[in-house]
Amino acid sequence: MCGINGIVKLDKNKVSEKEISLMNKEIQYRGPDDQGIFTHEGVGFGHVRLSIIDLSSKGHQPMEYAHQNRKIEIVFNGEIYNFQKIKGELQGKGYVFNSTSDTEVLGAAYLEFGFDCVKKFNGMFAFVIYDRRKNILFGARDRFGKKPLKYYLDKDKFIFSSELKAILTQGVKREVDFEAINDYLTLQYVPAPRTGFRNIFKLPHASYFTLDLSSRKMEIKKYWNLDYSKKLKLPESELIEKIEEKFEESVKRRMIADVEIGAFLSGGVDSSAIVAFASKFKKQLKTFTIKFNEKDFDESEFAKKVAKRYGTDHREVLVEPADMKSIIKKLIRQYEEPYADSSQLPTYILAQKTSAFVTVALNGDGGDENFGGYDKYEKHLAIPFLKMMPCKKVLAAKLFQISKQKESFLLYKIALFVELLDEAPVRQHFNFTHYFDIFYKNDFYKNEYQKRFEKIQYDSFDKFKKEGEFKGLDQILYLDFNTYVPDDLMVKVDIATMANGLESRSPILDYEFVELCAQIRINQKIDIFGRRKKIFKKMLEKYLDKDILYRKKKGFSVPIKYWFRNELKDELEEAIFDKKGLVLKMMKEEKIKELFDSHQNGQNHSKKLWSLMSLNLWHREYFLNK
């Protein structure tokens, strides 16, 4: 696991080692074990290395690979879990390898299979290859965007990196992308390809790019898509056996390393399942869990129970408001884009503590998206039964009115649900997952911004309708795998772990396992009676106790609603009412004041307030304090 950087000067000027060194230095924490630089005329690559496989100097990058008069240079961040199988195939074709690293195999696979090499890789990756003979750059990201790749392109230069902050070392002009901010205020993250900075982009997941250094033409293509159209028709017992077998394969693949491996253990279904299966391959697995003083949010007792059952070497990490105070500025800088998933705080602290004991940690991300684990999915299941309700618009208007009078956010959410019953599923989802839905935005935005965004409210989601037309809830699962998973979940984990020199692996997001889950019928995953992840939990009954499997889901959330009324109240108020910030630039001050006061008086607006606070702190860090 590493960090990659690069500069290509399309105007034929030379790239200096000093320029690449500056980028490497900015993300040194991603790879504390080694670093390297390659320059060749107008092309420069940089790499910082966290050694996981082949700890020797033979794994050094940037790495050159040559075969039959063709020579390439590569920088690679990630792990190819099936590289040994690919290596054997390539050796049969005459390729020679000098190391035991997957980087060398990746380079050889490109020479043999061209751009289609990415379709052969099972893993997490972001890489860029300089093909000298073709005079092109070729780069790609894995299917779920586990590893980042950001870039800037103008007529004279192309700059790429694992992290945007390294790109900024090259004097790129900083401008706020307000369309990205509009998306962020709804979603809590910026969906690809935007980043929050104008003219700096992220390569979308499951995509590759080519850049012709002669014509300066860049093309981006998607190489993989999730298909929900084909469903398995198997007896339940056979399906459970198939899920169990594929899940075990996914975990086993991620146990390969030349360093110590552990696992995050929240006490929920997914992380507990990972620990249960990982324990088949490693005795006394090291496990790590977050603990809160606020009992409504604390799941440490359940984690402890799983740890005891599987004999793990278990550690708890307490997270308190003081932790937020001490690292909030660092978090804002590390996440570098507008980002308001508050679970970034415990994830970061957990990674920090975990890195003292292991170099690789397994996580449970992806279970809810594969098997329908969120309550928002139940709303979509209920919609077909409620669409025939008479006078929906009248009822919604009345509920909106009452919710405003009583300052009831619960009534507001019911009103929103009724109002959207006749909308397309994608647009319903856009608002069900909201921080600021379109109605809140219309109420809060100043006239200038209301008019600016009124025609693009759904752009970031509507584009996915062209790629996959599936029925019912499958549309929503597809949407989450194309937005929420790569642009929120994977961002949270990559930044939190790599900032602490830790690699995190996601077995439930093995693409072969996800493809299997896409073939499972919705009614085997979730129903309108609140039973979620049904077939997955059924498979796990022989591995986990029923109070782990069937208790009410808490999720990996933070008691920020309490903190904003007490220990973090002053920090919140100072940030959101900053006269130089984006919040008061875009939104009416009296509406922000109403929101703040309502929260202090007992309503829960913590998500909205956290998104506003994070936005202003991000703007301060990257635009006012530069």
Side-chain angles (χ1 to χ4, degrees):
M1 201 60 67
C2 315
I4 62 177
N5 296 306
I7 302 172
V8 178
K9 295 193 175 177
L10 301 169
D11 57 7
K12 306 303 181 185
N13 285 324
K14 291 186 176 181
V15 176
S16 71
E17 287 194 5
K18 184 178 180 180
E19 290 171 300
I20 300 298
S21 180
L22 196 61
M23 295 182 76
N24 279 356
K25 184 178 179 181
E26 190 66 27
I27 60 169
Q28 181 66 53
Y29 48 78
R30 290 184 72 96
D33 298 330
D34 186 25
Q35 68 170 301
I37 293 173
F38 159 83
T39 59
H40 175 71
E41 298 178 346
V43 178
F45 282 178
H47 187 269
V48 293
R49 184 185 183 200
L50 178 65
S51 303
I52 304 293
I53 294 175
D54 192 346
L55 308 185
S56 75
S57 60
K58 290 182 179 180
H60 178 79
Q61 295 187 47
M63 182 181 287
E64 180 182 275
Y65 188 81
H67 178 73
Q68 295 182 349
N69 300 319
R70 287 190 68 188
K71 187 183 291 185
I72 63 168
E73 203 74 29
I74 183 170
V75 280
F76 163 51
N77 169 27
E79 305 286 351
I80 307 298
Y81 301 120
N82 63 336
F83 81 97
Q84 293 284 16
K85 181 180 178 181
I86 299 170
K87 186 176 185 176
E89 182 181 353
L90 291 168
Q91 285 173 325
K93 295 175 180 288
Y95 286 83
V96 177
F97 299 95
N98 299 309
S99 74
T100 59
S101 78
D102 49 355
T103 307
E104 199 176 15
V105 175
L106 195 159
Y110 165 73
L111 290 178
E112 178 64 25
F113 305 112
F115 303 153
D116 283 343
C117 67
V118 291
K119 297 178 182 179
K120 298 183 75 69
F121 302 147
N122 186 328
M124 52 181 178
F125 54 84
F127 66 83
V128 177
I129 290 173
Y130 171 39
D131 187 329
R132 297 194 192 189
R133 191 173 78 179
K134 291 186 175 182
N135 200 31
I136 65 167
L137 247 59
F138 166 62
R141 288 182 74 197
D142 62 76
R143 292 168 179 81
F144 300 114
K146 297 169 189 172
K147 294 291 103 185
L149 185 57
K150 302 182 182 183
Y151 67 91
Y152 168 86
L153 175 66
D154 64 24
K155 63 182 180 62
D156 295 322
K157 59 185 173 294
F158 174 73
I159 308 170
F160 70 86
S161 179
S162 296
E163 296 189 20
L164 185 149
K165 57 182 73 68
I167 295 173
L168 295 176
T169 66
Q170 301 304 305
V172 173
K173 186 178 180 182
R174 304 185 190 201
E175 295 181 82
V176 175
D177 179 351
F178 283 97
E179 282 70 27
I181 303 305
N182 181 53
D183 282 340
Y184 158 79
L185 287 169
T186 295
L187 300 172
Q188 78 181 357
Y189 58 87
V190 176
R194 291 190 166 109
T195 63
F197 293 77
R198 285 191 65 194
N199 301 319
I200 301 179
F201 303 97
K202 51 196 175 212
L203 183 69
H205 67 288
S207 299
Y208 69 78
F209 78 87
T210 55
L211 177 63
D212 188 312
L213 305 190
S214 300
S215 68
R216 307 184 184 188
K217 183 180 179 181
M218 183 178 185
E219 291 186 338
I220 296 174
K221 294 185 178 179
K222 193 164 187 178
Y223 64 83
W224 179 85
N225 215 346
L226 196 51
D227 184 4
Y228 285 88
S229 64
K230 301 177 181 68
K231 297 299 181 184
L232 293 169
K233 297 179 180 179
L234 297 173
E236 185 180 79
S237 59
E238 284 186 36
L239 182 57
I240 286 174
E241 187 177 324
K242 202 173 185 69
I243 293 169
E244 183 177 12
E245 179 184 343
K246 188 60 71 174
F247 186 61
E248 184 169 314
E249 285 177 14
S250 302
V251 174
K252 186 177 181 180
R253 284 191 188 107
R254 285 154 182 80
M255 299 301 291
I256 300 170
D258 295 329
V259 294
E260 186 73 18
I261 294 180
F264 296 151
L265 176 57
S266 70
V269 172
D270 303 323
S271 66
S272 298
I274 296 296
V275 168
F277 277 72
S279 295
K280 292 184 178 187
F281 309 108
K282 184 175 176 59
K283 299 302 179 186
Q284 288 192 308
L285 181 75
K286 288 183 170 64
T287 54
F288 307 85
T289 193
I290 285 292
K291 184 178 177 66
F292 294 108
N293 287 324
E294 293 81 1
K295 295 301 180 185
D296 290 348
F297 293 81
D298 185 54
E299 295 185 285
S300 60
E301 286 303 311
F302 295 102
K304 194 182 297 182
K305 185 172 183 178
V306 175
K308 184 178 180 181
R309 175 167 178 169
Y310 287 98
T312 73
D313 181 2
H314 189 60
R315 290 170 176 81
E316 295 179 345
V317 179
L318 179 65
V319 176
E320 300 179 283
D323 296 309
M324 175 72 93
K325 284 187 177 184
S326 68
I327 68 168
I328 187 168
K329 288 183 180 179
K330 186 173 184 179
L331 280 176
I332 295 297
R333 176 158 183 79
Q334 287 301 136
Y335 278 83
E336 70 186 12
E337 297 184 18
Y339 186 80
D341 185 335
S342 60
S343 63
Q344 68 191 116
L345 169 67
T347 304
Y348 184 91
I349 293 175
L350 185 61
Q352 188 180 58
K353 302 298 183 183
T354 300
S355 65
F357 299 94
V358 300
T359 309
V360 176
L362 307 181
N363 68 64
D365 287 335
D368 292 311
E369 293 75 20
N370 271 318
F371 293 103
Y374 298 126
D375 60 359
K376 64 184 179 183
Y377 298 142
E378 290 172 21
K379 294 178 183 177
H380 288 282
L381 289 178
I383 285 171
F385 300 99
L386 298 173
K387 288 188 78 165
M388 302 305 292
M389 183 191 302
C391 307
K392 292 189 291 289
K393 294 295 182 182
V394 175
L395 176 60
K398 188 65 177 176
L399 287 170
F400 276 128
Q401 182 184 11
I402 297 171
S403 71
K404 192 169 185 179
Q405 291 169 352
K406 294 184 175 293
E407 290 191 352
S408 171
F409 189 53
L410 175 61
L411 278 176
Y412 175 84
K413 288 198 292 186
I414 296 171
L416 180 68
F417 178 76
V418 175
E419 174 72 22
L420 295 169
L421 282 173
D422 290 329
E423 286 280 4
V426 168
R427 296 192 172 197
Q428 290 167 343
H429 192 59
F430 184 89
N431 289 285
F432 291 165
T433 60
H434 73 280
Y435 274 37
F436 285 87
D437 60 61
I438 56 172
F439 304 107
Y440 256 99
K441 283 180 176 179
N442 288 337
D443 203 20
F444 275 61
Y445 277 156
K446 292 178 178 177
N447 288 338
E448 172 194 348
Y449 289 92
Q450 199 177 102
K451 291 176 182 177
R452 184 172 184 171
F453 300 132
E454 63 184 355
K455 292 182 180 179
I456 62 167
Q457 289 291 359
Y458 299 108
D459 282 6
S460 293
F461 277 3
D462 276 355
K463 64 185 177 184
F464 291 108
K465 289 197 294 186
K466 301 171 187 175
E467 296 182 13
E469 291 293 344
F470 309 116
K471 295 180 180 179
L473 189 55
D474 281 331
Q475 296 178 65
I476 308 306
L477 299 178
Y478 174 85
L479 181 62
D480 272 350
F481 270 111
N482 280 281
T483 53
Y484 177 65
V485 169
D487 295 329
D488 185 326
L489 278 187
M490 297 300 96
V491 171
K492 175 179 66 180
V493 173
D494 178 77
I495 293 292
T497 55
M498 294 310 298
N500 291 291
L502 179 72
E503 174 181 304
S504 186
R505 299 177 176 178
S506 309
I508 303 178
L509 289 175
D510 182 285
Y511 87 90
E512 293 181 10
F513 183 70
V514 176
E515 286 181 336
L516 169 63
C517 293
Q519 297 176 68
I520 300 172
R521 296 191 299 273
I522 287 296
N523 64 2
Q524 294 175 303
K525 297 179 179 181
I526 182 175
D527 59 37
I528 60 173
F529 304 108
R531 293 177 295 192
R532 307 174 202 161
K533 299 160 83 165
K534 294 193 297 183
I535 194 76
F536 191 49
K537 289 179 179 179
K538 189 81 172 173
M539 183 274 286
L540 291 169
E541 284 183 353
K542 64 182 178 181
Y543 294 98
L544 298 170
D545 294 339
K546 290 194 174 182
D547 61 340
I548 300 292
L549 291 173
Y550 296 107
R551 64 188 172 86
K552 186 177 179 181
K553 179 181 175 63
K554 285 189 178 181
F556 196 40
S557 54
V558 181
I560 201 165
K561 68 178 180 181
Y562 301 125
W563 297 353
F564 275 166
R565 295 185 188 119
N566 299 287
E567 296 93 340
L568 295 177
K569 179 181 176 182
D570 292 343
E571 283 80 1
L572 170 66
E573 190 169 16
E574 186 276 330
I576 64 175
F577 291 106
D578 184 352
K579 297 294 184 183
K580 296 180 180 178
L582 292 180
V583 173
L584 295 186
K585 179 182 177 70
M586 300 173 67
M587 293 181 165
K588 302 164 188 171
E589 186 169 1
E590 67 271 17
K591 301 305 294 186
I592 304 300
K593 183 73 165 56
E594 282 179 19
L595 192 73
F596 179 82
D597 290 344
S598 177
H599 184 82
Q600 300 307 317
N601 292 330
Q603 292 298 313
N604 183 12
H605 300 297
S606 55
K607 288 185 175 182
K608 290 182 177 62
L609 292 169
W610 173 242
S611 68
L612 298 178
M613 181 181 184
S614 296
L615 178 61
N616 268 1
L617 291 177
W618 168 78
H619 180 252
R620 184 184 297 174
E621 173 66 28
Y622 281 99
F623 292 88
L624 301 182
N625 297 339
K626 58 181 179 178

